[in-house]
Amino acid sequence: MAIEREIKLALPRDQVDAALRWFETRAGAPGRDVHLENVYFDTPALALARAKSALRLRRTPDGWLQTFKSVGVAKNGLHERHEWEMPVAGEALEIGRLLHECDEAGVATALSGAATDLIPLFRTDFTRTLWTFDVDGARVEASVDLGEVVAEVNGANPETRRAPICEIELELKDGDEAALHTLAAELARALPGLTPDDVSKAQRGYRLREA
């Protein structure tokens, strides 16, 4: 288990190019583009959402990953949550392995109870442009995420619902959390309209289904 700490910032669409230039200038090099396709799973009754957790299968250029997260705490854009992540053989969840690693009783119980009823609920598809910075002795991974959340909603009138993804994430990889706030403050001064965002991509997916 790891504790994920990151600051999420909503990026105005008209500031995307400026944000990319700012990161390139600070890093002295262009970022690395990674395309990420993600499917989020829950039961029809949303057992995992009720347990304040999220389950994701992600396709990366290096293979498939499964990730289980607790919602945790989000305030002023800073997200702190438990995370269990591991590679899987292919496009299928391996719940037994997650249950073996998950050491938080409440969310583990929810995942165990949901295992046989899991269905894909929504997906996210986005390009992540990545940089790694040394900030006051800490290592921070910065990214600009551009894409969309997509939910297929069945019912009397089936429809495909979409919502844009346009955000910056600053994830602490090593060192003091203060580095996140330092880098976020630098960005806020450089990019008008940049605002803290307490809503995760998973939460956006659930809200899209409920809209």
Side-chain angles (χ1 to χ4, degrees):
M1 177 190 69
I3 302 293
E4 182 184 51
R5 291 183 175 87
E6 67 180 17
I7 287 180
K8 186 185 295 288
L9 302 165
L11 178 62
R13 180 63 64 173
D14 63 2
Q15 290 293 319
V16 170
D17 289 343
L20 294 171
R21 287 195 301 270
W22 188 90
F23 280 120
E24 287 183 12
T25 299
R26 197 183 194 285
R32 178 171 62 94
D33 287 344
V34 180
H35 186 70
L36 300 173
E37 301 172 53
N38 310 271
V39 181
Y40 287 80
F41 294 82
D42 205 335
T43 69
L46 307 183
L48 297 183
R50 293 202 310 272
K52 299 183 178 179
S53 58
L55 177 63
R56 179 186 73 203
L57 187 63
R58 166 172 285 179
R59 183 178 185 176
T60 79
D62 299 321
W64 292 89
L65 295 172
Q66 63 179 5
T67 307
F68 187 48
K69 296 186 182 188
S70 65
V71 172
V73 177
K75 185 177 181 180
N76 297 325
L78 177 65
H79 296 247
E80 296 183 87
R81 52 207 169 197
H82 294 96
E83 178 184 71
W84 298 265
E85 185 169 81
M86 62 190 67
V88 291
E91 192 177 355
L93 294 165
E94 298 177 14
I95 299 298
R97 294 180 59 207
L98 280 174
L99 288 171
H100 183 265
E101 296 295 328
C102 185
D103 51 3
E104 286 289 310
V107 291
T109 299
L111 179 59
S112 178
T116 58
D117 297 319
L118 292 170
I119 59 171
L121 280 191
F122 55 87
R123 65 185 189 272
T124 62
D125 188 352
F126 59 94
T127 297
R128 170 167 286 174
T129 306
L130 285 162
W131 294 264
T132 301
F133 295 104
D134 186 310
V135 182
D136 299 330
R139 186 163 58 95
V140 176
E141 183 180 85
S143 67
V144 176
D145 291 351
L146 301 173
E148 63 179 359
V149 186
V150 181
E152 307 289 345
V153 181
N154 297 315
N157 298 298
E159 61 176 313
T160 301
R161 298 175 182 172
R162 301 176 185 272
I165 295 171
C166 189
E167 63 189 26
I168 291 172
E169 289 189 357
L170 308 174
E171 183 175 351
L172 185 67
K173 293 297 187 179
D174 184 63
D176 196 304
E177 181 187 303
L180 295 179
H181 300 282
T182 296
L183 192 54
E186 291 180 27
L187 282 161
R189 289 192 292 270
L191 301 172
L194 194 67
T195 57
D197 190 349
D198 291 341
V199 182
S200 69
K201 292 181 181 70
Q203 289 170 314
R204 288 185 201 172
Y206 280 109
R207 292 181 182 184
L208 194 62
R209 286 181 56 86
E210 295 167 0

